[in-house]
Structure formats: C-alpha cells, structure tokens
Amino acid sequence: MSADQSYLESVKKQFLYYKMLGEKAMDQLEPEQLFISVNEDTNSIATIVKHISGNMLSRWTDFLTSDGEKEWRNRDAEFENDLQSKDEVLELWNKGWNCLENALENLKPEQLSDIIYIRNEGHTVIEAINRQLAHYPYHVGQIVFYAKQLKNSEWNSLSIPKNKSGNYNAEKFAKEKEIKNFTDDELKRLK
C-alpha cells in the first residue's frame, strides 16, 4: 500500500472513530438533553451538530471542483437551533457525515496534492483533510464533555475509564507489537 493510500485509510478510520464517539455520547442522553444550553454563549449539542453538518456539507460537496465555503451555506443560521427532535438531530448528523464519507471514498491517492479552495484560500487536499480532522474532533469533544455534564446517571466511558489506565496499559503491553491504526481496537470497542 502506498503512503498516500495508507494516509487515506487512516483518516477514514479517524473520522469514523470521532463520529462514533459523538454518537455514543448522544446515545447516553435523554432526547431533551440534546437541546440544553446553559447560557447564551454556549451551544446545545443539537446546535453543535447543526454546525458540524453545515460545515461538512459545505466543505465536502464537490470539494475538488468548488470552493469549500459554498454560496448556499448560511453559517450564522447553524447556531440558531430550529431542530425539534432527536431524530432530526441524528438525521442532520448523518447527512453531514455521509457527505464526508462519500467524498473520501471517491478520492484517489494521486489527488491528495491537488489544490482546492476554502474561502479563496488554496489548500492541498491533504491540508484540507487535516483541517477538518482537527475541526470535527474539536466539536465532538464539546459534545462528549457536554453530554458527561448532562448525564443524570453513571457515564459509560468512551475512552479509558477513570482509574483504569494501568489495566488498559497492561492489556496493551501483553500483546505482541504490531502495526495498525490506533482506531482499530477502539472502533471495535465502541460498536
């Protein structure tokens, strides 16, 4: 496998990992908790989802041939929550992620050095992917943090549970060394 193909496979797994983290966090909440905002300067989980999805649809629709900030995108409206149900939140969540996944599935390794534009600023495809691989986990982290605060009962850890690092490391170091993506085991654990 070429380095470019390896990179593409790695980012696909990493995006999927963060998608699953967000979903597992939201799954632990009551539907109405998705719409809670503690003050005017914070966004509810539903609003964060609306923003992520809007960004994904803008960035990844025809991303090789049109600017990543589409004329039809209304970024400011993404922060005005008009979603009414958990189903609407998840539908929008999946719409954005599906757009991203489709774009990555159709991307060829030789296109990674192509130049694309976001707000008229040129990026290689690799730079654009890395930009979004930093942006989406930032917001997924917000979702997880918020969900942990809102959860009314015991939180089911999405990573190494508190005070379990020693056990986790012992399990990892008991295995033979191998080359694989860090998400391989994590994705299995989260399913």
Side-chain angles (χ1 to χ4, degrees):
M1 180 181 300
S2 72
D4 287 345
Q5 185 62 43
S6 180
Y7 170 78
L8 278 175
E9 293 306 314
S10 176
V11 297
K12 288 175 191 176
K13 289 178 181 181
Q14 288 180 62
F15 279 123
L16 178 59
Y17 171 70
Y18 287 105
K19 177 182 186 276
M20 289 181 71
L21 281 180
E23 290 169 354
K24 293 297 182 182
M26 289 186 281
D27 283 348
Q28 294 189 52
L29 298 176
E30 297 300 320
E32 62 274 8
Q33 291 176 306
L34 297 174
F35 301 94
I36 294 173
S37 179
V38 296
N39 61 46
E40 290 183 22
D41 292 324
T42 60
N43 297 308
S44 67
I45 290 172
T47 301
I48 295 168
V49 167
K50 190 175 176 187
H51 168 61
I52 292 173
S53 182
N55 180 279
M56 288 176 170
L57 294 171
S58 183
R59 295 291 183 268
W60 299 101
T61 299
D62 301 322
F63 86 106
L64 290 173
T65 57
S66 65
D67 194 283
E69 187 65 20
K70 303 296 186 278
E71 290 182 18
W72 45 258
R73 182 182 185 200
N74 183 350
R75 185 181 181 280
D76 291 336
E78 294 167 13
F79 296 96
E80 298 170 8
N81 184 48
D82 57 356
L83 303 173
Q84 302 297 313
S85 69
K86 182 175 184 175
D87 287 341
E88 284 180 289
V89 171
L90 295 178
E91 182 180 328
L92 201 54
W93 173 263
N94 287 320
K95 187 176 180 181
W97 284 101
N98 289 340
C99 184
L100 162 63
E101 290 167 6
N102 289 335
L104 291 178
E105 280 303 316
N106 291 311
L107 188 61
K108 295 174 180 40
E110 58 271 15
Q111 294 172 309
L112 290 173
S113 59
D114 288 0
I115 301 297
I116 60 108
Y117 291 87
I118 301 172
R119 296 186 183 105
N120 279 341
E121 296 175 352
H123 297 63
T124 64
V125 170
I126 287 177
E127 290 171 328
I129 291 170
N130 290 344
R131 177 177 173 166
Q132 300 317 110
L133 195 50
H135 185 205
Y136 304 146
Y138 166 81
H139 288 303
V140 169
Q142 291 174 322
I143 291 170
V144 172
F145 183 74
Y146 216 171
K148 287 173 90 170
Q149 291 180 322
L150 294 169
K151 177 87 168 153
N152 291 326
S153 57
E154 184 178 343
W155 178 256
N156 296 318
S157 180
L158 303 176
S159 61
I160 303 169
K162 194 181 267 188
N163 298 317
K164 300 291 184 188
S165 295
N167 296 350
Y168 182 84
N169 286 343
E171 183 182 315
K172 288 290 187 179
F173 284 113
K175 297 177 182 176
E176 292 293 319
K177 287 185 179 184
E178 64 181 318
I179 297 173
K180 65 180 184 177
N181 192 290
F182 83 96
T183 63
D184 291 343
D185 291 338
E186 295 303 311
L187 289 169
K188 286 179 198 168
R189 187 179 60 74
L190 287 171
K191 285 188 177 184

